[in-house]
Amino acid sequence: MPEGRRVVITGLGAVSPVGIGADVFADAVRAGAVGTGPIESFDASAFPRANAGEVLDFDPADHLKRLDPARWGRSGLLAAAAARLAVADAGIDEEQLTAAGAGAILGTTSGESAVVQALAEQWVADGLSAVDGELAGQTPASRIANAVSAELRLTGETQTIPTACSASNYALGYAYDLVRSGEADVMLAGGADAVNRLTHAGFYALGAMAEDVPRPFAADRSGIVTGEGGAVLVLETYDGAKARGARIYAEVLGYAANCDAAHMVHPDATSIAACIEAAHRAAGVEPAQIDYICAHGTGTPTNDTTEVAAARAVFGDRIPPISSIKSMLGHTMGAASGFGAIACCKALEQDFLPPTANVEVPDPALGEGVDCVPGTGRPARLDIVQNHGFAFGGNNVITILGRVS
């Protein structure tokens, strides 16, 4: 690839089922804390499986200065709050963001799904004439990134990327390209989604819903638990970060994306392996240099088997430790690989391997050499880490992050 500016991550914002704030989030992940439980945001009593990873202690007014929560959907509010936290963590004030022409690239799976759910309930209960027009105006998925830019008065490129469960990694890659190429000096990137009836019902209908808790890589895994949250990272030039004395969590070394379109819902090991190899080439690293893989790790039998097979095709017998934070958060959809990137940054900063919670017996069918870091995190020196994001339709994105010495 042509030479470009070095791009680093200097701010982390997490609004998650295991806590709000990057440090709280990291402590919970390291401890293997589980943030899933009975659904409270809608009546799930008709579902035989009714758990989710919800952000139960989220009050938008605690975090936002400009947005009126009554005029924005939950996904946008989760994103804007995470962005506020990320900017504060980066130590950048709003005037600096404006001067840098900063923008926001946010990923999502279901858009403003909670808004759509509320509209559907109005329609079913009282007919189309009862639908709230102002509420209907909150439905566009584009408002997720718009919420971030409106809250922070960003003047740069603002886009919502709807590539489902790999969307945050797409957003990170696009933001990286903008900063690396000189089109922007600072960008915010990540993703957001809200727990809702439609997504929950869809995964239940697919037979992909876990009986109780998600157990990625476990012998007794049975599927996913839906989740929600906002995950935002601040990306800026290495030179700019050094000049202002910023704390640098990680350098974005490179990324790769592909789409195999092999199957509507089943991942494809060959395509994923090709994406990993392309990411390594883009980052200028060899497989032996990867110290940790933050897996997509949904906990479905198919995903975990396929993901390990793809890793084995690239790494051979030396698969790095590979764990899934979805075991703690649930599947946060468009925010998933954003939370993965935050976990990777904190792992690099604090020298630990994020765990896979809820695993008592790792699946022996995955083969020898699979270390899913069961239970709780453990100390480890990490220099280069790999973050996975896969989505229905075969949309795969791999980001590579490295320690800055």
Side-chain angles (χ1 to χ4, degrees):
M1 294 178 65
E3 288 297 321
R5 302 191 298 181
R6 294 177 67 185
V7 181
V8 296
I9 296 169
T10 57
L12 307 174
V15 181
S16 84
V18 295
I20 295 175
D23 289 331
V24 174
F25 172 83
D27 289 346
V29 165
R30 189 168 189 166
V34 176
T36 59
I39 292 172
E40 297 187 17
S41 60
F42 66 88
D43 181 5
S45 59
F47 291 97
R49 300 180 182 185
N51 286 342
E54 297 175 296
V55 189
L56 299 175
D57 54 350
F58 175 59
D59 183 347
D62 291 341
H63 305 280
L64 304 179
K65 298 179 181 179
R66 293 197 176 90
L67 298 188
D68 177 359
R71 300 177 64 86
W72 293 85
R74 183 171 175 85
S75 297
L77 294 171
L78 289 165
R84 270 278 176 210
L85 291 167
V87 167
D89 188 51
I92 302 179
D93 62 35
E94 291 182 33
E95 290 184 359
Q96 288 177 295
L97 290 174
T98 301
I105 312 296
L106 274 293
T108 191
T109 293
S110 302
E112 286 296 0
S113 50
V115 173
V116 175
Q117 176 181 308
L119 290 169
E121 290 170 353
Q122 292 176 353
W123 191 344
V124 169
D126 299 306
L128 182 59
S129 62
V131 169
D132 183 338
E134 290 191 7
L135 187 62
Q138 298 178 14
T139 58
S142 59
R143 286 172 59 89
I144 296 174
N146 291 351
V148 172
S149 289
E151 172 65 21
L152 294 166
R153 292 181 176 169
L154 305 182
T155 59
E157 186 159 357
T158 300
Q159 287 199 35
T160 302
I161 297 180
T163 45
C165 304
S166 58
S168 282
N169 258 358
Y170 271 103
L172 287 166
Y174 186 27
Y176 163 77
D177 284 340
L178 291 172
V179 176
R180 182 175 180 272
S181 66
E183 294 182 62
D185 292 326
V186 179
M187 290 296 297
L188 277 65
D193 264 301
V195 163
N196 63 95
R197 184 188 302 275
L198 175 63
T199 302
H200 187 85
F203 278 100
Y204 178 74
L206 285 170
M209 193 72 69
E211 296 176 6
D212 45 16
V213 294
R215 296 181 176 87
F217 307 114
D220 59 348
R221 67 189 184 278
S222 58
I224 78 160
V225 168
T226 57
E228 66 178 0
V232 173
L233 300 90
V234 175
L235 283 68
E236 60 181 298
T237 66
Y238 172 81
D239 290 342
K242 293 294 286 186
R244 68 182 187 85
R247 170 185 51 198
I248 296 175
Y249 287 107
E251 181 172 2
V252 184
L253 300 178
Y255 78 100
N258 67 10
C259 180
D260 54 74
H263 193 279
M264 182 63 75
V265 296
H266 286 188
D268 180 78
T270 301
S271 178
I272 292 169
C275 193
I276 295 171
E277 290 171 340
H280 290 177
R281 289 193 298 272
V285 301
E286 298 293 331
Q289 294 177 271
I290 303 297
D291 298 313
Y292 166 66
I293 298 172
C294 189
H296 188 62
T298 61
T300 65
T302 299
N303 177 90
D304 298 357
T305 299
T306 304
E307 189 164 11
V308 168
R312 199 177 294 282
V314 176
F315 293 96
D317 293 332
R318 183 220 164 255
I319 298 176
I322 178 170
S323 70
S324 173
I325 63 171
K326 289 182 179 68
S327 60
M328 296 166 273
L329 310 181
H331 193 334
T332 54
M333 305 294 153
S337 48
F339 282 125
I342 293 174
C344 285
C345 286
K346 281 296 187 180
L348 287 165
E349 179 198 34
Q350 298 179 4
D351 295 320
F352 75 96
L353 288 168
T356 307
N358 305 318
V359 176
E360 294 183 4
V361 180
D363 186 357
L366 296 175
E368 294 293 328
V370 177
D371 176 10
C372 68
V373 196
T376 59
R378 66 173 187 259
R381 164 76 183 198
L382 307 177
D383 290 309
I384 301 176
V385 299
Q386 179 171 306
N387 184 34
H388 288 185
F390 312 143
F392 285 171
N395 289 288
N396 310 309
V397 193
I398 309 293
T399 51
I400 309 293
L401 307 179
R403 180 187 295 269
V404 176
S405 57

